Amino acid sequence: MKKIKLLILIAVTGLLGSCNKFLDVVPDNIATIEYAFNLRASAEKFLFTCYSYMPANGHFNTNPGFTAADEIWYANPPMDVSTNFYNIALGLQNVSSPYGNFWSGSRGGKPLFQGIRDCNIFIENIDKVTEMDGWEKGRWKAEAKFLKAYYHFYLMRMYGPIPIIKENLPISASPEEVKVYREPVDDVVAYIVQLLDEVYEDPNLPETLGGAEQSELGRITKPIVLALKAKVLVTAASPLFNGNPEYAGLKDKRGVNLFNPVYDQKKWEVAAEACKTAIDYCHSFGYALNETKGLATYVINDTIGTQLKLRTAFTSEGNTEVIWANTNSMADVNMQRWSMGIIKTGATSGSGPKGLLAPTLKMAETFYTRNGLPITEDKSWDYDDRYGLRVSKEADRYYVELDSNTVKLHFDREPRFYASLGFDRGIWFGNWVDNYNVTKPLGFIRGRSSEISARQGISNYSITGYWIKKLVNLETAVAADGNITNNIVKYPWPEIRLSDLYLLCAEALNEVNGYTSETVGYLNAVRVRAGIPTVEDSWDGPFSKQIGYYRSKENLRKIIHQERSVELAFEGQRFWDLKRWKEAHRELNQPIRGWDITQKSANSYYRPVLLFNQHFTMKEYLWPIETKEMQTNRNLVQNVGW
């Protein structure tokens, strides 16, 4: 069986016509539907059509969370990128033509209700195929049911209450029957979980993909089902959806409350149990935090080795940490070329790194010190003088170019800082020919005005003075002339990693029990793999300003939240986390800053400059429903504030 990604073009050409009514839940072109289920081959194309609606998170233009928050910034005006989701970060979301419209499919959004409709068609008709074994029909049906659950979840996370599309309406449905209502969030979550439970219990769905099934990477397995269920339940237990008083008055035209304003502690208990179940199940099939340090041909030391196991955890295809790898959305030349900066001289190729996906100074300051503490909480780290200058010494040579005069902010930070970010004078192992040996001079960013990594023209430069090392596959090796386009090693975008699941579990357990050894056990596993001390060792150690800080539920919550922002940085997760935590109105109402990239000297370059003042309003916690949809279906009610 071919990979899904190879069949998407075929699948799209076979996509059924859309009647474009309300939520597109009435099947049209009945003759075409019947033809689609005459043969196994045509039915398989229809299944891949169901997969084709999955959001393409492996591209910066189509990942809603990637540029809609405060992690990445573009030059003004943005060039060589789509600004659909970036405009949300700029505060430009609107009701007349919403950015990222996944309700009906526009402005960067896919029509997920149409995707649900096609999943329903598949589920209702797959048994008509006569040349298939029953187990295979069952497996395909389970996959379509999973996708149906995932699309409901994706919409719920954006819009809150949504219509539940359990089955398509008959062709004879009246206009009034087609005008569906939004359903309460708790009902939507219950339906999603019901679908996922049914999929997990289906004996036809494989537990793993092995042997001949390796060609089916990207298809749904039982660990993926349990991992998604855990994420759904943690989302439902979070403050945005659990006892949120701001939405207490949101009712539909039947008078039904769409949000339960009463906080329910049991939601966290159920979420914690789901997380532990998913983790134990994944462990039983060999999933573990990645410890791979790249190819055996690399010449490394302990410092670089720690960074490499963090980098390969995200970009190395088939590593033990990635539970759900989306082969429909490959991180290809676009994501990698746009992330990387030029790190060696002689880059004359017009196909070189662009480096215009620019991490913000705020994100650089989010990473911990080498002692596993926030930069504001480490006695040994001079926070007040973090923008002062320092000359790198021998002990710094695998972090910062030796004898360089650079900003203090970039010294004595945790390994994830150096594994995730490129910065002026920062060492960059790999990703260039002859740059895989620590006994030889390694490439590094030179980002000051007129230098090789700096702005050379009207586009293709980092506006902040930072680059995303994390998203560039270690095996992508730029040629001596700087050509990256012909040397990209693609990887499937990780939708769910085990580290994500560990941190979700720690979060849920903290809300249930507060600090316990079990709660921090999952958190500490992520920290130790990252090369920093445990929570207890960091906060009770000699560098902590607040001994025992982690022992209260409120403080441990803050630690877990920061851990997620660091561990999952630049994966498009922070945007959704800030919203479900109801912290977006604080975090996304702050200035966006970078270095003064127009300057040549270190003294002048390392002055923070204001790029934008973000403004996030309470109504932006939920997406607006497009005005046209509201006018077409009078049974819909708009989200609060829109």
Side-chain angles (χ1 to χ4, degrees):
M1 189 178 293
K2 299 177 182 177
K3 282 188 179 181
I4 296 171
K5 61 181 180 180
L6 298 178
L7 286 171
I8 285 299
L9 288 177
I10 300 173
V12 170
T13 61
L15 198 61
L16 299 183
S18 167
C19 65
N20 197 29
K21 294 179 182 177
F22 310 122
L23 297 177
D24 205 16
V25 294
V26 179
D28 56 1
N29 204 341
I30 299 301
T32 304
I33 292 174
E34 292 178 352
Y35 174 79
F37 295 95
N38 276 340
L39 301 172
R40 180 187 181 281
S42 56
E44 186 177 45
K45 290 179 183 179
F46 203 109
L47 175 61
F48 294 141
T49 295
C50 295
Y51 270 98
S52 72
Y53 293 98
M54 282 188 58
N57 290 330
H59 196 296
F60 49 85
N61 283 342
T62 49
N63 183 332
F66 193 74
T67 56
D70 56 357
E71 295 183 280
I72 306 296
W73 215 250
Y74 293 145
N76 185 26
M79 301 185 69
D80 299 329
V81 295
S82 166
T83 58
N84 279 320
F85 299 116
Y86 182 62
N87 281 332
I88 296 174
L90 296 177
L92 301 177
Q93 185 61 287
N94 65 93
V95 296
S96 60
S97 182
Y99 295 107
N101 182 359
F102 285 84
W103 190 286
S104 51
S106 63
R107 305 299 290 271
K110 292 189 177 183
L112 292 189
F113 279 114
Q114 181 178 323
I116 293 170
R117 165 186 177 258
D118 283 346
C119 289
N120 281 339
I121 291 173
F122 184 88
I123 293 167
E124 293 165 4
N125 289 276
I126 184 60
D127 287 329
K128 295 178 181 178
V129 183
T130 58
E131 57 174 2
M132 290 178 64
D133 292 331
W135 69 266
E136 189 172 40
K137 292 180 184 179
R139 178 190 176 186
W140 289 11
K141 188 182 294 186
E143 290 179 71
K145 190 177 290 187
F146 171 90
L147 293 170
K148 178 179 173 181
Y150 179 65
Y151 298 152
H152 274 92
F153 168 63
Y154 208 94
L155 288 163
M156 183 276 288
R157 187 170 60 168
M158 300 179 86
Y159 296 95
I162 59 168
I164 297 174
I165 312 301
K166 293 184 177 181
E167 57 186 21
N168 292 339
L169 295 173
I171 196 67
S172 59
S174 69
E176 288 306 310
E177 289 177 298
V178 174
K179 294 178 181 177
V180 294
Y181 290 89
R182 300 173 74 184
E183 300 298 338
V185 167
D186 287 351
D187 291 353
V188 176
V189 172
Y191 180 63
I192 294 168
V193 171
Q194 174 192 326
L195 288 176
L196 293 175
D197 285 343
E198 291 173 3
V199 173
Y200 174 73
E201 294 296 335
D202 194 314
N204 299 299
L205 191 72
E207 295 168 326
T208 61
L209 298 175
E213 292 177 327
Q214 283 293 329
S215 62
E216 300 178 349
L217 291 178
R219 301 281 288 271
I220 303 306
T221 60
K222 291 194 174 186
I224 295 173
V225 176
L226 290 182
L228 180 62
K229 178 182 175 181
K231 179 161 275 195
V232 169
L233 288 170
V234 170
T235 300
S238 299
L240 181 62
F241 298 110
N242 188 3
N244 188 346
E246 276 79 15
Y247 299 136
L250 184 58
K251 299 181 180 181
D252 71 8
K253 296 184 178 180
R254 300 168 296 183
V256 174
N257 286 314
L258 299 181
F259 273 87
N260 185 347
V262 180
Y263 172 78
D264 185 355
Q265 174 70 10
K266 186 171 178 58
K267 290 183 179 180
W268 281 116
E269 296 171 8
V270 172
E273 192 60 37
C275 287
K276 290 195 291 183
T277 298
I279 290 169
D280 291 344
Y281 191 79
C282 287
H283 285 169
S284 71
F285 288 98
Y287 290 96
L289 295 181
N290 177 66
E291 296 288 342
T292 302
K293 300 176 183 179
L295 302 181
T297 54
Y298 301 164
V299 179
I300 61 176
N301 54 27
D302 290 344
T303 298
I304 294 297
T306 299
Q307 295 177 33
L308 296 194
K309 66 183 180 182
L310 295 167
R311 292 174 64 182
T312 57
F314 194 79
T315 63
S316 178
E317 184 171 4
N319 78 71
T320 60
E321 184 165 336
V322 177
I323 300 170
W324 185 9
N326 183 4
T327 55
N328 279 350
S329 186
M330 303 294 287
D332 55 17
V333 64
N334 294 294
M335 185 64 91
Q336 296 188 54
R337 186 185 180 198
W338 267 247
S339 293
M340 187 176 174
I342 294 173
I343 59 174
K344 287 201 172 185
T345 58
T348 58
S349 172
S351 299
K354 287 177 173 285
L356 52 78
L357 302 178
T360 60
L361 179 57
K362 178 181 181 180
M363 285 305 297
E365 295 185 331
T366 299
F367 289 83
Y368 297 128
T369 69
R370 65 182 179 183
N371 299 314
L373 293 163
I375 60 176
T376 56
E377 297 294 333
D378 191 325
K379 291 179 182 178
S380 69
W381 205 87
D382 191 353
Y383 177 79
D384 291 336
D385 193 34
R386 65 192 184 281
Y387 302 145
L389 299 182
R390 170 176 157 183
V391 176
S392 60
K393 304 298 183 183
E394 179 64 28
D396 309 309
R397 67 177 303 160
Y398 296 110
Y399 304 109
V400 179
E401 175 64 9
L402 186 62
D403 296 327
S404 292
N405 189 28
T406 186
V407 72
K408 291 181 179 180
L409 181 70
H410 297 162
F411 289 90
D412 302 323
R413 304 299 296 278
E414 63 158 307
R416 285 177 297 194
F417 177 86
Y418 301 104
S420 301
L421 290 171
F423 53 88
D424 178 52
R425 270 54 186 180
I427 294 296
W428 192 309
F429 181 91
N431 297 132
W432 209 279
V433 65
D434 296 328
N435 197 44
Y436 293 88
N437 187 337
V438 296
T439 67
K440 298 179 180 180
L442 294 174
F444 61 96
I445 292 286
R446 280 166 268 195
R448 301 169 200 171
S449 180
S450 301
E451 294 185 328
I452 61 170
S453 314
R455 176 178 182 174
Q456 305 296 331
I458 61 173
S459 184
N460 301 338
Y461 65 94
S462 167
I463 189 62
T464 64
Y466 288 103
W467 291 258
I468 313 177
K469 188 187 299 183
K470 176 179 182 175
L471 300 184
V472 185
N473 192 332
L474 196 57
E475 296 178 37
T476 291
V478 179
D481 67 352
N483 187 314
I484 187 174
T485 302
N486 296 334
N487 298 286
I488 289 289
V489 178
K490 300 184 290 185
Y491 59 92
W493 188 259
E495 296 291 341
I496 302 179
R497 293 194 287 136
L498 190 61
S499 58
D500 181 5
L501 200 52
Y502 278 5
L503 295 177
L504 289 174
C505 192
E507 180 181 346
L509 286 170
N510 181 57
E511 297 301 329
V512 175
N513 301 317
Y515 169 75
T516 66
S517 58
E518 182 184 35
T519 299
V520 296
Y522 295 105
L523 176 59
N524 285 337
V526 175
R527 290 171 65 93
V528 170
R529 191 276 298 271
I532 58 175
T534 65
V535 169
E536 295 93 336
D537 287 346
S538 288
W539 286 96
D540 287 340
F543 307 109
S544 172
K545 293 181 180 179
Q546 299 190 63
I547 300 297
Y549 177 81
Y550 58 89
R551 291 189 174 275
S552 78
K553 178 185 291 189
E554 293 73 20
N555 290 342
L556 186 54
R557 180 187 298 133
K558 293 176 183 177
I559 292 171
I560 293 169
H561 287 187
Q562 184 165 355
E563 192 72 39
R564 284 188 63 83
S565 292
V566 170
E567 175 66 23
L568 306 175
F570 315 124
E571 298 179 26
Q573 300 272 15
R574 176 172 163 83
F575 176 70
W576 302 112
D577 279 345
L578 290 177
K579 296 184 93 173
R580 68 180 179 85
W581 294 332
K582 285 187 67 178
E583 293 179 2
H585 63 285
R586 290 189 293 272
E587 291 292 326
L588 303 184
N589 268 318
Q590 298 181 20
I592 298 295
R593 299 182 302 161
W595 300 120
D596 190 346
I597 63 170
T598 65
Q599 302 299 320
K600 293 184 178 182
S601 71
N603 282 322
S604 300
Y605 179 89
Y606 287 114
R607 293 184 302 193
V609 296
L610 177 67
L611 300 175
F612 189 78
N613 273 316
Q614 277 195 294
H615 183 60
F616 182 96
T617 60
M618 297 302 290
K619 70 179 182 181
E620 293 174 82
Y621 273 106
L622 295 178
W623 244 253
I625 301 172
E626 186 179 12
T627 300
K628 182 175 66 175
E629 293 284 343
M630 300 290 297
Q631 293 170 340
T632 304
N633 181 0
R634 298 293 182 179
N635 287 337
L636 295 177
V637 292
Q638 184 61 275
N639 277 327
V640 175
W642 294 104

